[in-house]
Amino acid sequence: MFRRFFSRFGLLAALALPLGFAASSCTDKDGNPLLFSLEDDIALGDQVAAETDSTYRAQGKLVERASNARAYQLLDAVVNRVLNSSDIQHRNDFAWDVKIIKEDSTQNAFATPGGHIYVFTGLIKYLDDESQLAGVLGHEIAHADRRHTSRQLQNQYGIQLLLSVALGNSESTAAQIASGLAGLGSLKFSRDFENEADQYSVIYLNGPGYYACDGAAGFFIKAQSQGQASPPEFLSTHPNPDNRIQAIQTKATELNCRNRTVNSSDLRELQRLL
Ligand SMILES: [Zn+2]
């Protein structure tokens, strides 16, 4: 699948990227320009999303929009309030669609490159208020908008990835990314990317002025208070809750957007519907 994605652009294009890449605001951890173009992010994300959809649909776990219109209306409203932030760079470039996966035992969410968002019912049912949901969604939206998957792939594999893909050795890369993002595989974002996503979650929630902008911290506080007996899945892909709560709250205090009271009746209705 990954090979098909790259063959669309061709071996020549893939190899020419490092040479011909113009200055970009997106860089890897060493400050090198990102080899993946925005179009590559979108094409890769479409494949990862197709892979994710077919995996969960085959298990009967993909909550279909057609038969769950009200649930999606409620969830879309939260996503759109986060996306209303003017700090989203690729608001008009990426898909920004959201899908629900019916798995009550999984308290997790993730976003593919190109902005396809997935939320497990276990997370939605776990949360206490809508700012927490918006905070976690903001964090995932930041991973996509800041292009963390592409940057992570470049950090880990660099030019080798492009070469192996061009030579056709990475058929299952899209599938691996899909399971990695869902917390099942080996793809883990670096601590820097996790911290950046936390910071942008606060920034996104601050902009539209609707949610308490430290909502993501609320999730970590709740997860910690539950103890180690059954930690949410999100914690396995998002470790170090102590430091993160503090960093999120420091940023939120700096932006003076912590103390907003949100009516969570929509979240309650969404929880009842799932
Ligand atoms: Zn994350």
Side-chain angles (χ1 to χ4, degrees), residues 42-82:
I42 292 165
L44 176 59
D46 286 349
Q47 288 191 13
V48 173
E51 191 74 36
T52 305
D53 288 358
S54 73
T55 298
Y56 287 107
R57 189 171 278 135
Q59 297 173 17
K61 292 181 175 175
L62 194 69
V63 178
E64 306 287 353
R65 275 186 175 264
S67 44
N68 296 275
R70 177 61 181 160
Y72 276 106
Q73 185 183 27
L74 293 163
L75 183 57
D76 286 346
V78 182
V79 171
N80 287 330
R81 283 187 201 110
V82 179

Side-chain angles (χ1 to χ4, degrees), residues 89-159:
Q89 288 186 335
H90 301 297
R91 177 71 176 93
N92 299 318
D93 301 320
F94 290 170
W96 302 123
D97 56 340
V98 58
K99 287 171 193 151
I100 302 168
I101 300 167
K102 175 76 183 165
E103 200 170 87
D104 286 354
S105 58
T106 303
Q107 294 113 346
N108 208 358
F110 62 93
T112 74
H116 303 284
I117 305 161
Y118 292 86
V119 189
F120 290 88
T121 51
L123 178 77
I124 293 170
K125 294 182 182 185
Y126 180 77
L127 299 174
D128 294 323
D129 70 62
E130 218 174 285
S131 289
Q132 293 175 354
L133 178 57
V136 172
L137 289 168
H139 175 98
E140 296 306 329
I141 286 168
H143 278 316
D145 197 55
R146 310 297 300 171
R147 305 181 62 196
H148 286 167
T149 300
S150 308
R151 291 159 73 188
Q152 185 88 14
L153 287 171
Q154 180 167 327
N155 288 343
Q156 284 180 356
Y157 304 108
I159 187 68

